[in-house]
């Protein structure tokens, strides 16, 4: 396991922290290319390139206490055990306060959402992603980065799931996604859906491939036609009224990330999420 690099002003211990970061470099089921296991380290390293202050939010990480919980060791584990292990550790992070899970492949979002539901039984999932990820199975496997939303829906109900930025999936996936509380190519949540979420704890899952490959080329399954960083950031700011209790940022692939811009985008998303919700 790579030794954790503190995120900006992060402390090493969880005590008294208002937010916690946990790395989960799961890298088992990628279909396009692997390498996401290195992502948590690269995202933490990229955070050194950012100011701790957000001029849009007018808040500073230095006014908060962020704990770095290190990385979950998942090397050599089968997928079921790996997800259980991530869920256990992340539930501890969420018990302590607002939590960020750093991927790793997007499958970790199932562990993240399970942990969220364990701590907050009524939690809803808001997914930013180019892909629906709602296949029933993928290449003969049940638990993969392309099927995790199907599992989340079966375990916790389609009415707990909102999908944004979607621009890829099979015909069957798009039919199944109609059962979700909301599923859209757009990034905005319509007022009635926002209202439905307003009374519930919310877990956010951000796959960096929701961004256009021109903005975030370093990802496992880049999908043309995505949004700019600014557009994604604006839609995250629009969630400020919600009670977001945790989030993941997944699918950074360092080896295809020229100039580390994708890791940098992920780090900035993490900063803004902590400043908004911790
Ligand atoms: Mn995706």
């Amino acid at each position: 396991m790579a030794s954790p690099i503190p995120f900006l002003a992060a402390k090493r211990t969880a005590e008294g922290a208002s937010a916690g970061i946990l790395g989960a470099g799961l890298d088992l089921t990628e279909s396009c290319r692997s390498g996401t296991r290195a992502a948590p380290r690269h995202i933490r390293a990229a955070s050194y390139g950012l100011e701790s202050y957000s001029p849009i939010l007018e808040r500073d990480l230095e006014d908060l206490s962020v704990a770095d919980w290190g990385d979950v060791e998942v090397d050599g584990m089968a997928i079921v055990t790996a997800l259980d292990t991530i869920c256990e550790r992340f539930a501890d992070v969420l018990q302590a306060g607002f939590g960020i899970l750093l991927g790793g492949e997007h499958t970790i979002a199932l562990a993240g959402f399970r942990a969220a539901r364990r701590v907050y039984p009524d939690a809803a999932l808001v997914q930013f992603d180019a892909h629906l990820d709602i296949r029933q199975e993928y290449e003969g496997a049940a638990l993969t980065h392309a099927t995790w939303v199907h599992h989340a829906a079966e375990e916790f109900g389609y009415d707990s799931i909102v999908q944004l930025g979607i621009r890829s999936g099979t015909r069957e996936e798009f039919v199944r996604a109609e059962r979700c509380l909301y599923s859209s190519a757009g990034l905005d949540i319509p007022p009635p859906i926002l209202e439905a979420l307003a009374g519930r704890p919310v877990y956010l899952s951000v796959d960096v491939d929701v961004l256009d490959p021109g903005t975030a080329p370093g990802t496992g399954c880049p999908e043309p036609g995505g949004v700019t960083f600014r557009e994604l950031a604006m839609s995250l700011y629009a969630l400020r009224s919600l009670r977001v209790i945790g989030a993941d940022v997944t699918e950074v692939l360092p080896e295809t990330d020229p100039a580390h811009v994708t890791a940098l985008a992920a780090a900035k998303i993490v900063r803004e999420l902590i400043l908004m919700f911790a």
Side-chain angles (χ1 to χ4, degrees), residues 119-142:
V119 180
Y120 302 94
D122 192 31
L125 168 71
V126 175
Q127 169 196 2
F128 289 87
D129 199 339
H131 310 94
L132 287 166
D133 291 350
I134 201 164
R135 284 169 153 93
Q136 284 176 299
E137 62 157 51
Y138 190 60
E139 293 175 345

Side-chain angles (χ1 to χ4, degrees), residues 205-251:
S205 180
V206 182
D207 183 330
V208 290
D209 69 26
V210 71
L211 293 164
D212 189 78
T215 296
T219 190
C221 300
E223 180 70 30
V227 301
T228 65
F229 184 88
R230 188 176 171 77
E231 287 166 325
L232 175 61
M234 289 304 151
S235 65
L236 293 174
Y237 298 142
L239 304 180
R240 238 183 139 175
S241 62
L242 297 178
R243 184 182 167 216
V244 177
I245 50 84
D248 62 61
V249 182
T250 68
E251 292 290 343

Side-chain angles (χ1 to χ4, degrees), residues 186-204:
L187 288 182
D188 298 326
I189 303 180
I193 305 294
L194 262 184
E195 237 164 78
L197 292 174
R200 301 176 67 173
V202 171
Y203 176 81
L204 289 185

Side-chain angles (χ1 to χ4, degrees), residues 52-54 57-62 64 98 240 270-278:
S52 57
Y53 179 69
S54 168
L57 296 170
E58 296 182 316
R59 296 191 71 183
D60 199 315
L61 282 178
E62 288 188 350
L64 300 172
F98 179 73
R240 238 183 139 175
V270 170
R271 185 192 74 185
E272 298 303 78
L273 291 177
I274 291 173
L275 289 176
M276 276 192 287
F277 300 118

